[in-house]
Amino acid sequence: MKVHIMERRKGMEKGKKKKRFAVPNVFIILFAMIFVCSILSYIVPAGTYEMMELDGRSVVDPDSYHTIEQTPVSLMQMLTSITRGLQESAQIVFFLFIVGGAMAVIQSTGALEAGVGKLAKSLKGKDLIIIPIVLALFGLGGAIFGMCEESVPLVPLFVALCLAMGYDSIVGVAIVMIGGAIGWAGEFMNPFCLQVAQGISELPPLSGMGLRIALFVTMLVVTSLWIMRYARKVKKDPQLSPMYELDKQREDTLDLEHLPKFGGREKAILIVFLLMIVLLVYGVIELGWYMDEICALFLGTSIICAIIGKIGFNRYAEVLGKGMMDLATGALIVGFSKAIVVVLTDGSILHVILHGAASVLGVLPPIFSAIGMYIFQNLLNLVVVSGSGQAALTMPLMAPLADLVDVTRQTAVMALSVGNGLSNVLTPVSGFLMAGLALAKVPWEKWAKWMLPLIGIQFVIGLVFIIIAHVTQYGPF
């Protein structure tokens, strides 16, 4: 009897040892952040900066900070912050629904599967080359014209391609989403963040391009090698993928030995889809299109593809509805994440965070001030994910602060760029990331666990370049 009890205890101890830490569900993480921010509104003295107009933009007046009466967030405010967050992020939420539904219709024709399958077959034996090429293309899109949300609808296409080549869905997401993030981190022309920040800092437009390009290339090479190494391992042993079980359950996988028919109708649908991508790029760059116009483009394309593919009215509606339903979780996460900003605003502590950071950085030695700016921008991006929004909030403070602590303004702008770019592909508050993961059907918890080592490497690369910028007095000033 004693032997039996001892063996049972040993078994229980082994079971406990084997039990590993599980990343909390993204909704739990967001609930926790909303709760903590609500509690802080009772503890942190409230304060605010006045806003002022600068070249048509509303920016912080760096000399206007003052304390105000505390506005603690009540239980009702905390709970309603979620619905208010959904309302404030309605454009992204409905963007997800429309694009997801439209893509489901286009994919139901089988044309994309057949086209992607043909491409994967033609690349057999040399398919790894697709990783650095796609990563570079999306990276350049981010660095040159601030490509971000526009790339999200293409995620399912590259997920299907990577699965067909024997990789997993994470590789498909990574080459699109991380490519764009690298572009924003190493931006050298981006009008939505770099040029706004340089304008506020009174720096010459597009100045300091050389070091930015070096940063972009370094991140691109290192990240390409990392993802290629992972892709090779997963192809050799699919069970190493955190998405192994979920990818097996997918309906959108391809059997390269039994590809769907690729006849005239499928070719016509593929041509329409490719023309839509061309029009998407032109519309964003030349016509200033954003989410509403992109949704309209995808919806119109889905109707044309349904007609060519001879999908009936009822079938079209069913597939469109199912595609939207599949993205409900991802869309809700976007609203939950926005609730954090709603609570910080209700509690009047968002500007307190800015003021506190500026006060701390102002008393550090110059090199630590530069590093501190970089760390601060990374952390701030956990709640303010808009590049232009961060520039408007922080640069009116960071530019004059940089002068006071003997850090060049150009270094302060680089800290903003890299901090904003990197954490955008990790934080669950990023609508860009959550939209891409929702379309790819990749849970944030699995993505975060995979992404952490890579983002650690990228963070160190960014830190090295910030130190180089400070030591070389990166300028012109």
Side-chain angles (χ1 to χ4, degrees):
M1 185 73 174
K2 284 183 180 179
V3 173
H4 179 68
I5 293 169
M6 290 286 287
E7 284 177 354
R8 194 174 170 187
R9 280 180 182 170
K10 282 180 183 176
M12 288 173 69
E13 284 172 10
K14 280 183 183 177
K16 285 179 182 177
K17 284 179 184 176
K18 284 181 182 177
K19 195 173 181 182
R20 300 173 71 183
F21 172 75
V23 178
N25 184 281
V26 64
F27 283 112
I28 301 301
I29 293 171
L30 292 173
F31 266 128
M33 291 176 74
I34 292 166
F35 178 73
V36 168
C37 291
S38 299
I39 296 299
L40 286 175
S41 70
Y42 288 85
I43 300 168
V44 177
T48 187
Y49 285 99
E50 300 296 331
M51 304 303 284
M52 62 180 184
E53 288 292 315
L54 180 65
D55 297 329
R57 291 185 297 270
S58 181
V59 301
V60 165
D61 179 354
D63 300 318
S64 65
Y65 182 79
H66 58 280
T67 56
I68 57 173
E69 188 177 341
Q70 265 187 307
T71 55
V73 176
S74 67
L75 177 62
M76 183 59 75
Q77 279 179 295
M78 182 183 78
L79 294 174
T80 59
S81 69
I82 293 166
T83 52
R84 287 182 288 149
L86 279 163
Q87 289 162 19
E88 289 190 22
S89 55
Q91 193 177 38
I92 299 176
V93 170
F94 290 114
F95 169 83
L96 264 176
F97 281 133
I98 298 297
V99 171
M103 280 299 296
V105 171
I106 296 167
Q107 286 177 319
S108 72
T109 65
L112 290 184
E113 288 181 60
V116 165
K118 289 274 185 187
L119 177 61
K121 243 182 169 180
S122 68
L123 288 169
K124 207 163 187 181
K126 48 186 176 183
D127 44 40
L128 266 179
I129 195 67
I130 202 79
I131 292 173
I133 290 173
V134 175
L135 203 68
L137 287 174
F138 282 103
L140 286 169
I144 294 171
F145 58 88
M147 187 175 186
C148 188
E149 285 88 354
E150 302 83 6
S151 63
V152 170
L154 304 180
V155 169
L157 185 64
F158 286 99
V159 167
L161 177 61
C162 288
L163 287 170
M165 293 189 299
Y167 307 135
D168 66 355
S169 49
I170 283 180
V171 175
V173 176
I175 57 179
V176 178
M177 309 298 282
I178 299 177
I182 289 170
W184 278 71
E187 57 188 355
F188 43 86
M189 289 178 69
N190 184 357
F192 301 109
C193 185
L194 174 64
Q195 293 188 46
V196 169
Q198 287 186 327
I200 293 171
S201 303
E202 299 177 336
L203 288 161
L206 306 181
S207 56
M209 194 178 285
L211 191 61
R212 293 178 185 280
I213 291 174
L215 170 62
F216 172 74
V217 171
T218 303
M219 284 211 175
L220 191 65
V221 170
V222 171
T223 303
S224 294
L225 292 172
W226 177 275
I227 298 174
M228 288 165 75
R229 176 175 164 269
Y230 170 77
R232 204 181 287 118
K233 281 168 61 180
V234 165
K235 191 167 188 175
K236 190 175 179 182
D237 183 1
Q239 293 190 37
L240 292 174
S241 167
M243 287 296 294
Y244 176 66
E245 292 298 333
L246 291 176
D247 282 346
K248 279 200 305 182
Q249 299 166 20
R250 285 177 175 271
E251 297 173 3
D252 53 354
T253 52
L254 281 174
D255 180 358
L256 295 184
E257 302 307 318
H258 302 91
L259 289 174
K261 180 187 170 188
F262 194 51
R265 189 175 293 158
E266 286 74 24
K267 287 176 184 175
I269 291 171
L270 199 57
I271 288 168
V272 169
F273 183 79
L274 293 173
L275 286 173
M276 181 203 69
I277 301 301
V278 173
L279 186 55
L280 169 66
V281 174
Y282 176 79
V284 169
I285 298 173
E286 295 294 329
L287 306 178
W289 284 4
Y290 196 47
M291 289 190 188
D292 290 344
E293 293 82 4
I294 295 170
C295 282
L297 179 63
F298 269 82
L299 195 59
T301 302
S302 73
I303 294 169
I304 295 169
C305 290
I307 292 169
I308 297 171
K310 293 189 176 179
I311 296 175
F313 291 120
N314 286 340
R315 176 65 181 155
Y316 175 86
E318 286 169 11
V319 177
L320 187 73
K322 187 178 183 305
M324 291 180 179
M325 186 175 66
D326 289 344
L327 291 173
T329 299
L332 287 171
I333 287 170
V334 172
F336 272 66
S337 65
K338 187 68 175 177
I340 296 165
V341 180
V342 170
V343 168
L344 288 173
T345 305
D346 283 356
S348 304
I349 53 178
L350 183 58
H351 287 186
V352 178
I353 295 169
L354 290 175
H355 179 68
S359 301
V360 171
L361 294 172
V363 297
L364 292 175
I367 192 163
F368 292 113
S369 294
I371 294 169
M373 286 178 183
Y374 172 58
I375 293 171
F376 170 67
Q377 296 290 4
N378 271 281
L379 293 175
L380 183 65
N381 202 51
L382 296 175
V383 289
V384 183
V385 293
S386 163
S388 53
Q390 269 202 57
L393 270 176
T394 64
M395 290 319 298
L397 291 168
M398 293 300 158
L401 179 64
D403 297 338
L404 292 173
V405 298
D406 199 24
V407 172
T408 66
R409 292 189 174 196
Q410 196 75 269
T411 302
V413 171
M414 179 178 267
L416 164 72
S417 298
V418 186
N420 170 61
L422 294 186
S423 44
N424 253 337
V425 283
L426 183 64
T427 172
V429 176
S430 169
F432 159 71
L433 172 65
M434 300 316 296
L437 293 179
L439 283 170
K441 300 172 187 171
V442 173
W444 177 82
E445 308 92 88
K446 292 188 179 295
W447 170 261
K449 195 173 180 181
W450 178 85
M451 186 67 204
L452 273 171
L454 176 57
I455 209 165
I457 294 168
Q458 291 175 331
F459 179 85
V460 171
I461 292 170
L463 180 62
V464 169
F465 271 84
I466 291 295
I467 293 170
I468 291 170
H470 177 71
V471 169
T472 59
Q473 286 296 290
Y474 183 39
F477 53 85

